[in-house]
Amino acid sequence: MQDIKIKSAGFGDPAVQSLVAENLRDLSERYGGSGDDTPITAADFAPPNGDFLVAVEDDRLIASAGWRRHGDDAELKRMFTTNAARGRGLARRMLAAVEASATAAGCKRMILETGDRQPEAIALYESAGYVRIPDFGHYAGHPGVLSYAKPL
């Protein structure tokens, strides 16, 4: 995995949007519909109020994780690893990188929403120290939504 580079990328970049579309297809397969209707814009991930990170291997984007300000917190969005890159510890590296980015921007806590049909994500977040919190954001009150937080 030493050949994998994690770097900031513009959310509007066509290669990033292609990876995001793959993420949304994965969510759609799990949950139906469009996968995630959360309103997101490229400006959400613009420093100093956010950042969008990608993992690059052989000039291909294979993972992503972004954060945007949500009050005093950083909200994790679009955490995703392609099927071909799974099982190599990359999601944990991406999570650590996005947490470091939010910490550097002065955020004190990372919050996130996930769903009950993403057991891999739930296991990752809980093993990384995230704990359940009351639901917030776009999917607050929806069945199957799980919200988590971790101090940074």
Side-chain angles (χ1 to χ4, degrees), residues 25-91:
R25 281 190 299 277
D26 179 73
L27 291 172
S28 180
E29 288 172 11
R30 294 174 192 251
Y31 298 101
S34 65
D36 185 352
D37 297 325
T38 305
I40 292 177
T41 68
D44 290 339
F45 301 108
N49 291 316
D51 195 7
F52 198 81
L53 305 175
V54 294
V56 183
E57 181 179 49
D58 298 328
D59 295 323
R60 289 177 298 114
L61 303 187
I62 59 171
S64 66
W67 69 269
R68 64 182 181 177
R69 288 209 190 264
H70 186 89
D72 294 331
D73 298 324
E75 180 185 9
L76 181 67
K77 295 302 298 176
R78 298 296 179 250
M79 177 85 175
F80 178 69
T81 303
T82 63
N83 283 333
R86 291 180 182 164
R88 298 163 52 189
L90 184 55

Side-chain angles (χ1 to χ4, degrees), residues 63-128:
S64 66
W67 69 269
R68 64 182 181 177
R69 288 209 190 264
H70 186 89
D72 294 331
D73 298 324
E75 180 185 9
L76 181 67
K77 295 302 298 176
R78 298 296 179 250
M79 177 85 175
F80 178 69
T81 303
T82 63
N83 283 333
R86 291 180 182 164
R88 298 163 52 189
L90 184 55
R92 191 167 300 280
R93 280 184 62 196
M94 292 299 295
L95 185 59
V98 80
E99 289 172 350
S101 171
T103 299
C107 297
K108 303 292 184 212
R109 185 173 81 147
M110 182 73 73
I111 60 174
L112 64 93
E113 294 175 309
T114 192
D116 61 0
R117 296 182 188 172
Q118 294 170 264
E120 315 91 337
I122 294 165
L124 170 66
Y125 300 137
E126 290 179 349
S127 72

